[in-house]
């Protein structure tokens, strides 16, 4: 086995050395070279075709990457618009639907380009490396043929030292080299023109698919953008309905000396409702119609709270105005059956809640130790540094690294801010039980324990 392997290596080295010598002599013009002008033309066409395919594949791969980047950028942009487009504004739900439609169009477009354009292009381009190997092999066999031809001619040119046995052996090697070369040369004479002609059909099919996918995407996305433009136009026409209105004055909770632990909840009812209920005019004003009018003009960060309304109504009743008292009762009943504005960032599933469900909303109170706590919060048996505990009533996903994400039902321990100047209105600092994660979170997404 060792001798056989060594013999193969020696034969391979001898063959490479013979080819190198033959090429060297041909380059110096010492020996002639078999010429094939037709093959040379086919080879030039092949090289040009391969370079074009490689460039097309490179540029299209880059185009696909850009399309996917645009898809992600479009999704991120629309997500941001959905977050800042307030739920009370006209077309809020349609904005979300059109954003989903746009994302689906991007996904379908990228999928078509990858499967129907890039995959056929890769298949087309994969033919060239294999064909290049065959061309290189044909070149080596041509050198072998020329080398054997020159050796045979040398044996025949010296009649004095002519060895018939060597001449016969040289003739056999020449015939074998010629047969091998001509077979490969003949195959390439057929395959190279066929491959070169296939470029037209490939480009037609591939480009038709590409341009059709582009047309469908841009046509459908133009419809989506037209719908989005109409939504914004409606918002522009109705922008006067969304101006911020001042709420009726109420006794405010005293500010806590320890602002880090205050749970801030706005509980100001719409102004026109209470005014209608407490009017001294002999002709009662419909509290229900007044409330419906006000509900169309939402007040930022506000919810209707039954206890506050009841207190206002009772105060007016004690003034001896029976008409106002009846109007108050109607107004309270109307408010109890109406929808209330959801807190900022509150999930849509909790948007419609009656006033009676809001009786348990915590109102800020002050304790002797100077710490603001919500009604219902307890400070018993808490670890050191913990002001009180809250339970998540809504899911919240953090929007910054210093915020805290949580699911509905998770327990959070409220602690003081490390730096009191970082306190933000409506936000608390807390540590999630179980994981120990610490960060800020919106107070109106939780309730005290």
């Amino acid at each position: 086995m060792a001798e056989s392997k060594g013999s193969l290596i020696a034969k391979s080295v001898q063959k490479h050395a013979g080819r190198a010598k033959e090429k060297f002599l041909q380059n110096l013009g010492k020996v002639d070279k078999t010429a094939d002008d037709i093959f040379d033309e086919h080879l030039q066409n092949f090289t040009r075709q391969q370079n074009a395919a490689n460039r097309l594949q490179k540029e299209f791969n880059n185009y696909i990457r850009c399309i996917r980047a645009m898809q992600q950028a479009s999704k991120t942009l629309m997500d941001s618009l959905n977050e800042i487009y307030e739920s009370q504004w006209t077309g809020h739900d349609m904005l979300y639907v059109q954003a989903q439609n746009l994302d689906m169009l991007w996904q379908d477009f990228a999928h078509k380009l990858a499967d129907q354009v890039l995959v056929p292009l890769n298949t087309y381009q994969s033919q060239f490396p294999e064909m290049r190997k065959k061309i290189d092999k044909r070149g080596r066999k041509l050198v072998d043929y020329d080398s054997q031809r020159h050796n045979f001619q040398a044996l025949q040119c010296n009649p004095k030292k002519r060895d018939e046995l060597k001449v016969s052996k040289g003739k056999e090697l020449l015939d074998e080299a010629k047969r091998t070369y001509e077979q490969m040369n003949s195959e390439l004479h057929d395959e190279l023109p066929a491959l070169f002609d296939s470029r037209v059909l490939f480009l037609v099919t591939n480009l038709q698919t590409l341009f059709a996918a582009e047309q469908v995407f841009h046509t459908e996305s133009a419809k989506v953008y037209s719908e989005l433009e109409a939504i914004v136009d409606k918002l522009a026409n109705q922008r006067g309905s969304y101006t911020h209105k001042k709420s009726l004055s109420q006794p405010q909770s005293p500010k806590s000396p320890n602002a880090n632990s205050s749970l801030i909840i706005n509980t100001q009812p719409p102004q026109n409702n209470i005014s209608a209920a407490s009017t001294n005019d002999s002709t009662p004003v419909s509290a229900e119609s007044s409330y419906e009018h006000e509900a169309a003009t939402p007040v930022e960060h506000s919810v209707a709270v039954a206890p506050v309304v009841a207190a206002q109504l009772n105060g007016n009743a004690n003034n001896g105005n029976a008409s106002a008292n009846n109007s108050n009762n109607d107004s309270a009943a109307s408010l109890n059956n109406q929808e209330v504005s959801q807190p900022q960032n509150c999930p849509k599933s909790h948007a419609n809640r009656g006033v009676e469900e809001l009786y348990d909303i915590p109102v800020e109170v002050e304790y002797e130790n100077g710490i603001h706590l919500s009604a219902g919060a307890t400070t018993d048996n808490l670890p050191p540094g913990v002001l009180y505990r809250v339970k998540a009533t809504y899911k919240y996903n953090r929007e910054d690294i210093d915020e805290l994400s949580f699911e509905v039902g998770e327990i959070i321990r409220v602690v003081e801010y490390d730096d009191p100047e970082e306190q933000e209105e409506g936000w608390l600092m807390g540590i999630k039980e179980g994981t120990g994660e610490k960060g800020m979170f919106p107070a109106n997404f939780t309730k005290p324990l």
Side-chain angles (χ1 to χ4, degrees):
M1 178 65 70
E3 292 181 357
S4 176
K5 185 176 181 180
S7 176
L8 291 173
I9 294 175
K11 189 176 293 185
S12 177
V13 171
Q14 183 180 3
K15 184 180 293 184
H16 282 83
R19 288 171 180 165
K21 178 182 177 181
E22 181 67 21
K23 287 183 178 180
F24 180 73
L25 293 174
Q26 287 178 349
N27 293 333
L28 292 177
K30 300 294 185 180
V31 295
D32 62 340
K33 178 180 179 181
T34 301
D36 189 340
D37 294 337
I38 297 178
F39 178 82
D40 291 342
E41 183 179 352
H42 292 332
L43 182 58
Q44 290 177 3
N45 291 337
F46 170 81
T47 302
R48 187 167 68 252
Q49 183 183 10
Q50 183 182 22
N51 291 338
N54 289 340
R55 180 178 178 181
L56 185 61
Q57 184 188 41
K58 175 184 175 182
E59 297 301 332
F60 196 77
N61 275 322
N62 183 58
Y63 185 70
I64 287 286
R65 285 192 293 270
C66 292
I67 290 296
R68 288 170 177 161
M70 277 295 299
Q71 175 188 356
Q72 183 59 39
S74 174
K75 186 178 186 307
T76 304
L77 173 62
M78 296 309 297
D79 288 346
S80 299
L81 291 178
N82 275 301
E83 290 178 7
I84 67 173
Y85 200 95
E86 299 181 17
S87 59
Q88 300 89 350
W89 292 354
T90 182
H92 175 268
D93 293 338
M94 286 303 301
L95 179 68
Y96 176 80
V97 171
Q98 294 302 333
Q100 296 299 311
N101 290 339
L102 187 61
D103 186 49
M104 290 178 62
L105 287 174
W106 275 109
Q107 290 181 10
D108 182 66
F109 182 44
H111 179 76
K112 283 184 178 179
L113 292 183
D115 286 358
Q116 301 179 20
V117 180
L118 183 59
V119 171
L121 176 58
N122 291 338
T123 303
Y124 171 74
Q125 196 275 339
S126 66
Q127 302 174 90
F128 297 100
E130 293 298 324
M131 188 63 70
R132 177 62 69 178
K133 289 180 182 179
K134 198 168 186 179
I135 292 172
D136 293 342
K137 186 176 181 180
R138 180 258 183 198
R140 293 192 297 270
K141 296 304 179 183
L142 175 59
V143 173
D144 291 343
Y145 167 62
D146 285 340
S147 178
Q148 292 298 335
R149 182 166 56 83
H150 295 147
N151 289 338
F152 181 71
Q153 290 173 353
L155 291 174
Q156 286 183 323
C157 289
N158 193 350
K160 294 181 180 180
K161 297 182 180 181
R162 182 169 178 170
D163 187 340
E164 294 298 332
L165 184 60
K166 289 184 177 180
V167 171
S168 177
K169 182 66 174 176
K171 177 65 174 174
E172 291 178 3
L173 293 175
L174 175 61
D175 291 341
E176 181 180 356
K178 182 180 180 180
R179 184 170 57 253
T180 303
Y181 160 71
E182 288 182 344
Q183 180 180 356
M184 296 198 66
N185 192 56
S186 177
E187 291 177 359
L188 288 173
H189 269 272
D190 295 334
E191 294 176 3
L192 287 176
L195 178 60
F196 187 66
D197 291 341
S198 70
R199 75 193 190 284
V200 178
L201 180 60
F202 164 75
L203 283 176
V204 169
T205 304
N206 205 251
L207 294 181
Q208 281 180 341
T209 305
L210 169 62
F211 297 150
E214 291 275 2
Q215 181 185 22
V216 171
F217 169 74
H218 291 293
T219 301
E220 296 301 322
S221 61
K223 295 178 182 178
V224 172
Y225 285 118
S226 178
E227 293 292 336
L228 293 173
E229 183 182 12
I231 292 172
V232 177
D233 286 343
K234 290 180 181 179
L235 178 62
N237 295 332
Q238 301 179 16
R239 64 185 182 275
S241 302
Y242 301 104
T243 56
H244 184 78
K245 294 188 176 182
K246 296 181 179 180
S247 300
L248 187 64
S249 299
Q250 296 183 39
Q252 299 295 323
S253 299
K255 291 191 175 181
S256 170
N258 186 356
N260 297 342
S261 61
S262 61
L263 178 59
I264 302 172
I265 296 182
N266 293 324
T267 58
Q268 298 173 348
Q271 179 179 359
N272 290 346
N273 294 342
I274 305 303
S275 298
S278 59
T279 180
N280 292 324
D281 194 351
S282 59
T283 304
V285 179
S286 172
E288 181 177 357
S289 61
S290 176
Y291 179 80
E292 290 175 348
H293 174 74
E294 193 66 27
T297 313
V299 180
E300 187 177 1
H301 303 296
S302 67
V303 292
V305 180
V308 176
V309 176
Q312 293 287 345
L313 297 178
N314 291 335
N316 293 330
N318 291 333
N319 291 330
N321 192 320
S323 176
N325 189 28
N326 294 333
S327 178
N328 292 342
N329 295 332
D330 294 339
S331 177
S334 174
L335 285 172
N336 196 38
N337 294 323
Q338 294 296 323
E339 295 179 355
V340 295
S341 301
Q342 66 186 72
Q344 187 180 20
N345 297 327
C346 181
K348 295 179 183 177
S349 59
H350 300 278
N352 298 327
R353 302 177 62 188
V355 173
E356 66 277 12
E357 295 181 281
L358 299 176
Y359 284 174
D360 293 332
I361 288 184
V363 179
E364 193 178 65
V365 297
E366 184 174 2
Y367 287 72
E368 294 181 358
N369 56 6
I371 298 177
H372 272 110
L373 297 178
S374 298
T378 177
T379 58
D380 298 336
N381 300 322
L382 294 178
V386 178
L387 303 177
Y388 57 97
R389 298 162 71 234
V390 296
K391 181 178 181 180
T393 54
Y394 304 120
K395 177 181 177 180
Y396 180 72
N397 293 322
R398 69 178 188 179
E399 300 177 355
D400 207 343
I401 57 175
D402 60 350
E403 296 180 12
L404 195 64
S405 296
F406 48 79
E407 301 289 336
V408 175
E410 289 195 78
I411 306 301
I412 304 172
R413 297 176 178 177
V414 180
V415 297
E416 295 185 5
Y417 277 74
D418 296 333
D419 183 357
E421 295 183 357
E422 294 181 357
Q423 168 75 38
E424 296 185 18
E425 183 179 359
W427 290 75
L428 300 174
M429 179 66 69
I431 302 175
K432 265 201 318 190
E433 292 190 358
T435 64
E437 297 176 75
K438 183 178 180 180
M440 299 192 305
F441 62 93
N444 59 349
F445 277 60
T446 62
K447 67 177 182 179
L449 296 177

